[in-house]
Amino acid sequence: MSPYAPLNVSVRTSRLELRAATDERLGDLAPLVAAGAANADPPPWDDPSSFYETDPEMRVTGWMQAIWRGRGTVRSDAWRLYFVAYVDDEPVGQQDLTGHDFSAFGTVESTSWVATDHRGQGIGTEMRAAILHLAFEGLDATEAHSEGAIDNVGSNAVSERLGYERNGVSWATHQGKPVLGQRWRLTRESWAAGRRSDIDLFGVGPCRATLGIDVPSSRAEQAGH
Ligand SMILES: CC(C)(COP(=O)(O)OP(=O)(O)OC[C@H]1O[C@@H](n2cnc3c(N)ncnc32)[C@H](O)[C@@H]1OP(=O)(O)O)[C@@H](O)C(=O)NCCC(=O)NCCS
């Protein structure tokens, strides 16, 4: 157990587990980041831009520093939770959940990558389903957003499969070059219509307090152990 509540959160499905990204777990994932398994085509957004460092050690260093900065700037209107995804105890990717003005709007955004050797096996979809369960069931989110480059077939397919609706486009950069992004939106009602009963949350209650979430959630309290 960590004295820092967000590092005790985990989400378990029948297929995989998202475990809060402690330094030890970042160490599990670091060889994949060093090997370029996070930023192979199609590339994620410039998030963190250190993924595009050509030197493997600098790539890992910048990636870890970005996560530490994110951990250190948690406020009720701006927070980000970082998870390492494990299948049978093998690290396979990273799944993050960000709250922007969460206290006002209850909206979250998810970001993820799956290591190249594990793509195309349903893991990205399962990771997203797990983080949505944490957002809606554990944190009482009202709406989840996602964005993928317009030609990022995998990312956009995950959103479509999980019931998101198209929500316009916006520009972002990939390694400095402008790229059109497809925005996606999943309402609480749409999530509830396909809600899964085989996903378990752990450690959510104390984490809610750290994030400044004061909406009562009996489920989150039950899960907060
Ligand atoms: C996007 C990503 C997380 C998806 O993970 P994944 O484990 O490969 O996804 P899944 O196996 O669950 O596949 C999801 C859907 O995408 C489709 N798909 C995945 N990769 C595909 C590809 N390269 N070409 C065509 N279809 C693809 C699958 O067929 C599946 O479609 P279905 O639901 O209709 O069957 C992964 O490809 C990745 O890490 N990409 C790089 C980082 C990234 O783009 N992150 C998201 C934006 S920040």
Side-chain angles (χ1 to χ4, degrees), residues 1-9 20 22 70-75 79-81 206-207 210-211:
M1 288 284 281
S2 169
Y4 184 61
L7 293 181
N8 297 321
V9 176
T22 60
R71 274 189 207 154
T73 51
V74 168
R75 301 190 311 267
W79 47 258
R80 180 162 175 165
L81 301 175
C207 179
T210 306
L211 302 181

Side-chain angles (χ1 to χ4, degrees), residues 106-178:
T107 50
V108 291
E109 177 125 16
S110 60
T111 321
S112 66
W113 58 266
V114 173
T116 38
D117 288 352
H118 297 276
R119 290 183 191 171
Q121 301 164 32
I123 292 174
T125 306
E126 188 76 355
M127 284 164 51
R128 183 88 71 86
I131 208 72
L132 287 173
H133 202 84
L134 172 64
F136 286 113
E137 181 75 3
L139 304 179
D140 293 318
T142 56
E143 200 168 288
H145 293 179
S146 179
E147 183 166 1
I150 218 110
D151 58 356
N152 188 336
V153 183
S155 175
N156 293 317
V158 170
S159 297
E160 193 151 32
R161 161 147 302 209
L162 291 175
Y164 290 65
E165 288 168 10
R166 287 174 195 273
N167 190 29
V169 292
S170 63
W171 288 99
T173 55
H174 272 184
Q175 300 172 72
K177 293 188 188 132

